[in-house]
Amino acid sequence: MSIVDMIENRIFDEIAVGETASVTRVLGERDIQLFALVSGDVNPAHLDAEFAAGELFGRVIAHGLWGGGLISAVLGTQLPGPGTIYLTQNLRFHRPVSLGDTIIASVTVREKRDHTIVLFDCRCVNQSGEEVISGEAEVKAPTEKVRRPRMALPDVRISDHDGYRRLIEQTSGGEPATTAVVHPCSVSAILAAVEAAEAGLIVPILVGPQARVRKAAEEAGKDIAAFRIVDVPHSHAAAARSVELVRAGEARLLMKGSLHTDELMGAVVSSATGLRTERRLSHAYVMDVPGHPTPLIITDAAINIEPSLEDKADIIRNAIDLAHVIGIACPKVAILSAVETVNPAIRSTIDAAALCKMADRGQISGGVLDGPLAFDNAISEKAAKEKGIVSPVAGRAEILVVPNLEAGNMLAKQLTFLGGADAAGVVLGARVPIILTSRSDSLRTSLASCAVAVLLARAAPKAAPGLVPGLGPGLGANPR
């Protein structure tokens, strides 16, 4: 921690009646969230502005206690300061403390008593000079002088999952999508499917060995009586049968259960009976990263191991279509590499330059491309400025195109497991969206992935003939 300044107390003998100290703070959304986190108070009257409009008393108490905390801060850091022992406090809440209010918290010495006891008048007023809190505090003042560096407060990152909530809200009110859930023979697979159904996102068709599916549901504590079960002998048959359901129009989505991704995708890309289109299949994560202002689409982290230039063009087209569906009208696409200059020794920089020229010639449309860009230059305007990069994409990228699967997989998992990001994963370029779930996925991740797929499926009927947004232009001659 860095040293900001010095903090010094006032011992009992130095304190004079009438002496005062104060602190000024603005109540922000982050303060409310931190208060809820520390206190465990998740009453919507304190956290939800719309709900709180009819719950004035609750807001007076909850946000008033935040004001009371400011009084405590003055006593503990200024007057008397370090070494102060709180004995009693009595507060009266007169008006609500609301988001955006500027609060001045002050303490004034009313009386000094024997045994180093000091009585303070306490008061909080808002930016209009209105009294919101009044009261008294009794403390035991320090008798030994303390002067030490004031340590900077730690940085606290709040993952509020606003992106996840917005994504779920986008799907509310629409019809759930009938979804073939492929081989849901584990607790995690059943939970993902049933929870998505309970959230109104999908209507599952459970495709797998019936006995194993029912056993998994029993272990998960979930009732699947309302769901259709298609009995097949094993996972390979489950993948093939699920694809058949899609081709027959009985399902609008595919959802991976407890089978390997390769096994599912093998059925999807079958030349005779699969779900291929003219587009290359690719995977994309929609990520809500704490502290980052916009969603990030990262592609490809699961399907294409070493994509060619032609593959990357389709990967970008798929990602742009996905961005349109989730509400990004003209996404900024950063083509990532280790450097931001074209270097013949680094293939990804050559590909990036070619892809940008393809966009200039109209071969890739719907977004703004730039590359090569290193990761920091893609997402940080400060880093881009320091490098002297002038670009509409640098520092503001919404789609990150990685050089290969390894880079994408590591980037996505670092953001998830170290950065606290929410992630929603979907496979694009097939005739229907494919939801890839993993045993390590949280429930929130599974539901978010379903929500993205549902948005894609709902957008499909609005597309031009033969073109499904985010999925590619129908069955074609490029069976990749």
Side-chain angles (χ1 to χ4, degrees), residues 44-265:
H46 309 158
L47 292 169
D48 189 313
E50 293 182 7
F51 185 94
E55 297 288 338
L56 181 61
F57 181 73
R59 297 182 75 197
V60 171
I61 298 300
H63 299 170
L65 287 176
W66 173 81
L70 297 183
I71 293 171
S72 176
V74 178
L75 293 170
T77 62
Q78 296 186 44
L79 182 66
T84 299
I85 299 174
Y86 237 125
L87 297 178
T88 63
Q89 185 175 57
N90 179 29
L91 297 178
R92 293 174 290 279
F93 303 101
H94 305 292
R95 288 180 174 82
V97 178
S98 301
L99 186 66
D101 279 356
T102 299
I103 300 299
I104 302 172
S106 61
V107 300
T108 303
V109 179
R110 179 201 297 177
E111 181 182 347
K112 293 176 68 176
R113 299 175 179 173
D114 293 338
H115 308 296
T116 68
I117 303 300
V118 182
L119 188 64
F120 287 88
D121 289 321
C122 305
R123 189 169 183 256
C124 288
V125 299
N126 62 21
Q127 65 276 6
S128 300
E130 299 170 323
E131 188 172 67
V132 296
I133 300 174
S134 65
E136 305 83 28
E138 185 180 5
V139 306
K140 187 172 184 179
T143 57
E144 295 183 3
K145 198 69 174 173
V146 174
R147 188 174 188 274
R148 62 182 59 175
R150 183 193 297 269
M151 307 305 289
L153 293 174
D155 291 329
V156 179
R157 178 184 297 174
I158 299 175
S159 301
D160 55 18
H161 311 299
D162 279 346
Y164 168 75
R165 283 194 290 270
R166 286 193 296 269
L167 188 60
I168 297 298
E169 286 170 1
Q170 283 183 271
T171 65
S172 63
E175 288 293 321
T178 304
T179 303
V181 185
V182 188
H183 203 252
C185 297
S186 68
V187 169
S188 59
I190 284 289
L191 285 175
V194 175
E195 294 284 356
E198 291 174 350
L201 296 171
I202 68 172
V203 176
I205 302 174
L206 307 177
V207 186
Q210 185 169 174
R212 293 184 61 188
V213 171
R214 294 192 183 280
K215 181 180 179 182
E218 183 180 350
E219 292 175 354
K222 290 294 184 179
D223 182 3
I224 59 171
F227 305 140
R228 176 184 172 189
I229 299 178
V230 177
D231 187 23
V232 295
H234 44 64
S235 58
H236 181 75
R241 185 72 179 97
S242 296
V243 168
E244 287 178 10
L245 292 172
V246 171
R247 291 178 65 90
E250 296 183 54
R252 299 179 66 194
L253 300 176
L254 277 182
M255 183 175 185
K256 175 180 172 287
S258 53
L259 76 169
H260 291 297
T261 299
D262 288 348
E263 192 171 7
L264 172 60
M265 298 310 298

